[in-house]
Amino acid sequence: MKKQIYLFLNILLFSCSIESSILSESASKGIDDILKFYGGYCEYSVGKVVATDEPTTTYFEVKLSKSKGVEKFKKDSKFASSNIAYRLYRNLTKEEKSNYSEIRTIIIFESGITKKYSFKSNELETVDNKTKTIDLVVDYLKDKDFEKISTILNDSSVIEYDKDALITQMEKVDSKYGNITEEGFRIFGYRKVKYNRKHKKYLRISGAIIRDNNSNELSVVMDPEKENNEVLTLEYTM
């Protein structure tokens, strides 16, 4: 039998206003990060689920409502929710990350439709580590070092394509977008995807490269089980 314990209940946040006496500074930054991206109202709670036959689950839950920014993701709510969970998680301290076994999200759309998801902390940690590979790709793009991008691309193990042709196209169109800003890559969310009907799932992180002229979308597919910087493919707006 499960017993659910709420440590904090329904603390309403208006815009980017944070109750610093209740939230830690890092968690407040996480909530701010979410609201800066989507706008709207945010409620949060921290809870624990205790069961005799299952491991104890501790969670941080974020509820987003009255958000114009999230409305366009109504048909892709899990993708938007992954972004919400990750933006909170990445701002937590190492100790705080270890305190939560999962991040829960609730989105309430204008129509009243409610979508709920949960994301394991170890999965969010993998995403956090893999964004470092994306930052590396963006750094190479800043330096116009397309050869180094080519060295981390694997075009034969899972997804077959001509990486030389991809690099040539990237090099051809890159200059029209303008210089990459200090922000670099802005994450929109992530998915776990399959290729060639294989059972294994790969990690696809999507977002945009922020530039001073025209920002362009970028998705990067990687093997979540590998600790290196190998990239299986880049989906780069041409």
Side-chain angles (χ1 to χ4, degrees):
M1 181 177 178
K2 293 184 179 179
K3 181 180 180 182
Q4 191 163 353
I5 304 171
Y6 284 91
L7 302 184
F8 303 120
L9 288 176
N10 297 334
I11 310 299
L12 186 60
L13 304 178
F14 294 89
S15 184
C16 292
S17 175
I18 303 297
E19 294 287 346
S20 58
S21 61
I22 296 175
L23 275 181
S24 67
E25 181 180 355
S26 53
S28 295
K29 287 180 179 177
I31 297 294
D32 272 338
D33 196 356
I34 294 166
L35 290 170
K36 184 179 178 181
F37 192 90
Y38 291 108
Y41 295 95
C42 196
E43 299 172 69
Y44 62 87
S45 62
V46 176
K48 181 179 289 187
V49 179
V50 180
T52 55
D53 55 346
E54 295 178 17
T56 298
T57 298
T58 54
Y59 62 86
F60 193 116
E61 184 175 85
V62 180
K63 182 192 293 184
L64 184 66
S65 61
K66 300 180 182 179
S67 166
K68 297 292 185 184
V70 83
E71 283 298 315
K72 63 182 178 181
F73 296 102
K74 190 178 297 184
K75 294 183 179 180
D76 202 2
S77 57
K78 188 172 184 178
F79 179 69
S81 295
S82 73
N83 192 32
I84 292 169
Y86 175 68
R87 285 177 180 275
L88 174 71
Y89 182 84
R90 72 177 180 181
N91 283 282
L92 299 178
T93 65
K94 185 176 181 181
E95 181 180 358
E96 287 173 324
K97 289 175 180 178
S98 67
N99 287 339
Y100 302 114
S101 49
E102 62 187 41
I103 305 296
R104 297 182 177 183
T105 63
I106 303 173
I107 299 176
I108 302 177
F109 293 100
E110 288 181 351
S111 63
I113 293 173
T114 298
K115 294 292 185 178
K116 300 180 180 182
Y117 300 97
S118 63
F119 301 87
K120 299 296 185 184
S121 291
N122 57 359
E123 178 177 290
L124 293 168
E125 182 64 21
T126 297
V127 173
D128 198 42
N129 288 330
K130 289 300 183 182
T131 59
K132 295 177 177 63
T133 297
I134 301 178
D135 290 338
L136 185 64
V137 171
V138 173
D139 284 341
Y140 290 157
L141 283 170
K142 279 184 180 179
D143 296 336
K144 310 296 182 185
D145 197 337
F146 294 93
E147 184 176 339
K148 283 187 178 177
I149 296 175
S150 180
T151 62
I152 62 174
L153 279 174
N154 185 336
D155 60 352
S156 58
S157 64
V158 178
I159 310 166
E160 293 186 5
Y161 60 98
D162 187 341
K163 71 176 180 180
D164 291 333
L166 174 62
I167 292 295
T168 298
Q169 280 298 107
M170 288 175 64
E171 192 170 3
K172 187 183 297 183
V173 302
D174 188 72
S175 60
K176 76 177 184 180
Y177 294 122
N179 297 318
I180 298 172
T181 66
E182 186 177 347
E183 181 179 358
F185 180 73
R186 181 182 298 172
I187 188 170
F188 292 168
Y190 71 90
R191 295 182 174 88
K192 290 179 284 187
V193 295
K194 292 181 181 180
Y195 290 95
N196 301 324
R197 296 183 179 179
K198 294 181 179 179
H199 295 295
K200 181 172 179 175
K201 291 184 177 181
Y202 297 90
L203 181 63
R204 182 177 183 264
I205 300 176
S206 301
I209 301 173
I210 308 304
R211 300 176 184 258
D212 59 9
N213 188 7
N214 292 310
S215 299
N216 64 295
E217 293 183 9
L218 173 70
S219 292
V220 182
V221 179
M222 294 162 283
D223 187 336
E225 296 177 2
K226 290 189 176 180
E227 296 182 0
N228 58 20
N229 290 318
E230 181 184 78
V231 172
L232 299 176
T233 190
L234 294 173
E235 297 173 14
Y236 188 83
T237 302
M238 300 295 186

